[in-house]
Structure formats: structure tokens, C-alpha cells
Amino acid sequence: MFTEFHLGYGSEEIKLSLPQQQILHVIEGKHVEAVADIPAAVKAALANPIGTPPLNQIVKTGDKVCLIASDITRAWVRHDLFLPPLLDELNAAGVPDSDITLVVALGAHRYHTAEENITTYGREVVERIAIEQSHAPVAEDFVKIGTTSRGVDSYIYKTVAQADKVILTGGIAYHLMAGFGGGRKSIMPGISGYSSIQGNHSFCLHDTVGQGISPHCISGKLSGNNMHEDMTEMAAMVGPAFLLNAVLTPAGKFAGFVAGHWHDAWLEGCRTVEDIFGVPITAKADLVIGSAGGFPKDINLYQGSKTIDNAYMAVKEGGVIILLLECRDIKEPPDFSGWFDFVSLQDRELQLRKGFTVPGFIALKCGLIAKQVSLILVTLPQNKDFIAKAGIIPATSLEEAMAIAEQKLGGKDYTITVMPHAANTVPVLKG
């Protein structure tokens, strides 16, 4: 008996038939009904918050309110759909649009254009309230508010520091370093200064130089995650008055909203993400076959790295991972692809310690994974040289990849886990 799969690859699908007796797990996210009435769902969340009084009891007339919102790299959050009802609630509580400022949480990312502000937050928001951009390298825009217990000085954007009330907005998803996104990430790295970001993100690297990355800064892990715990201290120094975060469905629609205390409400949202996207497994497989889900999730290796990271959590030590990633823009973005010019992983790590970047960290982690398991990438023929340079085995068809896998596994007697949407689903080994 065979089971047939249709796996996304670019704008197409690749058909795969596997013997049922070899299939250990099929990892898919939980089906969730999407929110039908977004403004009503936002209003309900604001009126029934977790850990705080309702929003209309927290803000008052005369308050200068600062909303922190994710930048265009988090466009999937769809701020344009839920910020207008939040502004309406603030107005109803006595805070006019003229007393509200949206701060774009760029971290160290580049500035938005005016058009990108409209794309990210919607024309209505752009026309209603003032918008400022927190760009970490501009040191004079930041003020020191304290030092964390790990010795990192916390510099935050001046407008946030001067506000009467700070409200965090964004979306929650698994994060390969911080455990989960959203919540305190609006503060660090969102509106933090460059030196603070460098200090915090350095916790993702191993305590010992030459040992690569920290084993504690991984998807789904909060307890003992130095990066997350340091972020949380920085957010506590700011003392946000309120939070509104979205959780999405596997199809990219709103599953719901959490509102209230900046940490407690966010933790509830993390539990929802875990419930939807964290898929329990009883054992790891010899072979994992994963697709990002097709375009645009496999537009380049940088986006495809989420698929690599998640698939790695489902494979045995010394096993094989086959990834279906078209990568039509293989060398994008340059601040990621350039890291593969460092042939030695040690050189890659040392450079990262001099100046941390998230693309550099992902390039290092991909290289380390490729050292521990056989990583085979089904991709376009013209990508072969780049993929090989990245330390990954290139293949131009699934048939070729399977043949390489069987050679690595020493025959046809092996277990298989299939991940049709591996960019979003996180295997959680029970016990």
C-alpha cells in the first residue's frame, strides 16, 4: 500500500508516493477556522484582556500614546486589518489620533519608504496618525534606560521612552532563536539601539568560541533561553501598558487575537501557536522529506531556512533530510548569501561574533546542520553551484534526491516523516 503526497515546489506541485509501512509521521498544522469579523474580534480582545483592565481603563484623555508595530519584513501580520479598530478604541477612550504615534520597529533593518508604510499599515492608518521609524544605527535617536542582569545596556527609541502609554502590536509565531516571536520582540530588537541588539543577539552563539551556536536559543524554547530572557528584562524596563498580538492559521488568516498584559497575554498567544503549529511526534525518522509549501516560502534559501530548521527537529542524528525548495532568487538577499563566501564554519562564526546579524546566524546554523545530517536540496539546475557552496547536496529532481538518500541510508529499510508545510510546522518530540 502506498500513500500519495502533493508537495509544493515553487508555483507547482511534486507528486510523491511512499510505502505506508515506512511512514512514521505526516506533520501538518491543526485546522483552525479563521476569524470572520476582524474588527469585532479585536474589540472583544481589547474588552476582555489577559492580566490587565480593559484598554479603555488604561488610557485616558491627555495621554501621549505610542503604538509599536512590526516592519514590512513581518507583512504577514497584516497590521492594516487590525490597527484601525485599535485606533477607534483609543479614540473612544478619549485619546484622539493627534495624540497617537506609531513607531515602526525596524530594529537594524532599513527604513521604510512612504509607500511601504501604506502597504504595511494601510492608507487609513497612515493618514490618521503620525509615523516615526526606529532605526537602530542612528545612535542619537536612542536613550539608555538600564542594564540587564546579563550586562547588556538597554537603549530604546526616544519617542517610546517619552510616551505616557506604550502599546505593543504584532504577530506571534515560532522563532528559530527567541523561541517565539511577538510580544517583547517589539522592544528588543524592534525599537532598541544597535549596541543593545548586538549584546542581546550574541546570546544565540555558544558561550565557548568555536562551538558555534547556543543549544538554548531554538524554536519553541523560552525557559533557559538567554536571548529571550534578556529581551524580557528589556521590555520590563519599558513597562508597556498594553499588548495586542495576532495569531494566524496555517492558511495565513487570523486565528484570533490576544490582548492585555505585555507578557501574560503574549504567553497565552504562544500557547495558541504551539497548539496550532507544534505537532507532537513519538520518534525521529531516518529520512525527513519537507516542502516549505511552495512559493513564496521557497523563493530563496534564506526563506527556506525555516524549513531546514523545522525538518532538522524531526530527523535522527546522522539521518537524511530531503528539502523541496525551488529558490528562484537563489542569491537573495545579499546579506545572507554573502555569508557563504566564508567556506569555513569557524570563520563564519568568528565574523558573526564581531558583528551579529540574523542572516549570518542562519547561514551558520544551516552549515552546522549540514555537518550533522545529510541535507539534500531539490532545486533549480542553475542553483547547483551555490547550494554546494553552502555545504548542501544539490539535486534537480525528487527521484535523484531519493537515490542519494538511499545510498546514504544504506538501503531501502528506513522510516520516513513527511512535512508538506515545513516552513510553518514545528515537530515536538514527546517524552
Side-chain angles (χ1 to χ4, degrees):
M1 293 288 288
F2 285 80
T3 300
E4 191 169 285
F5 299 90
H6 294 267
L7 303 176
Y9 176 79
S11 301
E12 302 174 355
E13 287 187 338
I14 291 178
K15 191 167 78 171
L16 171 67
S17 290
L18 295 172
Q20 280 186 8
Q21 71 272 17
Q22 288 182 251
I23 298 173
L24 190 60
H25 296 289
V26 178
I27 297 176
E28 285 280 34
K30 183 181 290 185
H31 174 73
V32 180
E33 289 295 331
V35 169
D37 187 334
I38 295 166
V42 171
K43 189 170 183 178
L46 299 178
N48 300 280
I50 298 164
T52 66
L55 181 61
N56 60 15
Q57 294 178 30
I58 287 178
V59 297
K60 62 183 187 302
T61 302
D63 280 343
K64 297 297 183 183
V65 175
C66 175
L67 304 181
I68 302 177
S70 308
D71 73 352
I72 197 167
T73 65
R74 303 290 187 273
W76 56 268
V77 177
R78 295 306 305 272
H79 282 86
D80 57 313
L81 298 180
F82 69 81
L83 285 181
L86 174 58
L87 294 180
D88 293 343
E89 285 297 303
L90 289 169
N91 294 167
V95 182
D97 287 343
S98 57
D99 284 342
I100 304 170
T101 300
L102 184 151
V103 174
V104 182
L106 291 172
H109 297 163
R110 64 165 177 80
Y111 284 105
H112 278 191
T113 64
E115 292 74 20
E116 286 172 332
N117 279 341
I118 294 171
T119 299
T120 310
Y121 311 117
R123 186 172 296 279
E124 178 187 346
V125 171
V126 171
E127 292 178 351
R128 283 178 64 173
I129 61 175
I131 295 182
E132 298 181 17
Q133 302 193 50
S134 173
H135 186 48
V138 186
E140 59 268 28
D141 285 351
F142 297 83
V143 59
K144 183 178 175 180
I145 61 168
T147 303
T148 70
S149 64
R150 292 172 177 80
V152 180
D153 291 336
S154 181
Y155 288 88
I156 69 162
Y157 189 65
K158 287 179 179 178
T159 300
V160 176
Q162 294 163 358
D164 296 311
K165 302 287 166 57
V166 176
I167 299 175
L168 311 183
T169 72
I172 308 173
Y174 276 105
H175 190 277
L176 84 167
M177 297 182 295
F180 293 89
R184 76 283 183 247
K185 280 189 90 259
S186 291
I187 304 295
M188 164 51 67
I191 53 86
S192 293
Y194 190 76
S195 63
S196 299
I197 295 172
Q198 290 293 307
N200 172 265
H201 284 27
S202 69
F203 294 121
C204 295
L205 297 172
H206 201 282
D207 292 341
T208 304
V209 176
Q211 293 298 306
I213 62 179
S214 167
H216 307 296
C217 299
I218 59 174
S219 288
K221 180 177 172 63
L222 297 179
S223 179
N225 184 327
N226 289 349
M227 180 190 189
H228 154 69
E229 291 172 354
D230 194 67
M231 284 178 165
T232 303
E233 285 188 41
M234 291 189 186
M237 291 177 198
V238 176
F242 206 77
L243 170 141
L244 175 64
N245 273 189
V247 175
L248 275 68
T249 71
K253 305 294 184 182
F254 289 117
F257 298 90
V258 289
H261 189 272
W262 66 270
H263 188 256
D264 296 348
W266 169 75
L267 278 179
E268 185 60 34
C270 292
R271 285 188 278 269
T272 302
V273 168
E274 227 172 4
D275 183 55
I276 297 173
F277 296 101
V279 183
I281 59 173
T282 57
K284 295 186 176 184
D286 298 307
L287 170 65
V288 174
I289 302 173
S291 163
F295 183 84
K297 291 184 173 67
D298 69 352
I299 189 172
N300 52 43
L301 188 60
Y302 185 60
Q303 291 300 322
S305 65
K306 300 169 189 173
T307 300
I308 296 172
D309 195 55
N310 291 339
Y312 179 62
M313 299 172 79
V315 73
K316 285 181 181 177
E317 186 176 343
V320 179
I321 299 173
I322 294 176
L323 301 157
L324 278 62
L325 300 173
E326 183 191 56
C327 298
R328 61 183 69 171
D329 293 336
I330 188 61
K331 293 188 177 179
E332 295 293 331
D335 55 349
F336 171 70
S337 59
W339 282 88
F340 295 105
D341 291 336
F342 296 98
V343 178
S344 159
L345 291 179
Q346 185 172 10
D347 288 346
R348 211 176 288 177
E349 177 190 336
L350 292 174
Q351 185 63 29
L352 200 57
R353 289 184 186 274
K354 290 179 185 176
F356 191 97
T357 72
V358 174
F361 174 84
I362 293 172
L364 176 60
K365 188 167 188 179
C366 285
L368 290 169
I369 290 174
K371 285 277 189 183
Q372 296 172 59
V373 299
S374 296
L375 209 52
I376 305 168
L377 193 70
V378 178
T379 189
L380 297 172
Q382 58 266 35
N383 296 341
K384 184 176 180 180
D385 290 345
F386 182 89
I387 294 303
K389 184 179 178 181
I392 300 170
I393 303 167
T396 55
S397 69
L398 185 54
E399 291 75 19
E400 181 187 357
M402 289 295 289
I404 297 170
E406 290 189 351
Q407 184 181 24
K408 296 284 184 184
L409 292 167
K412 297 181 179 293
D413 183 21
Y414 51 85
T415 56
I416 308 169
T417 286
V418 182
M419 300 179 68
H421 297 93
N424 294 336
T425 48
V426 174
V428 180
L429 184 63
K430 294 301 179 184

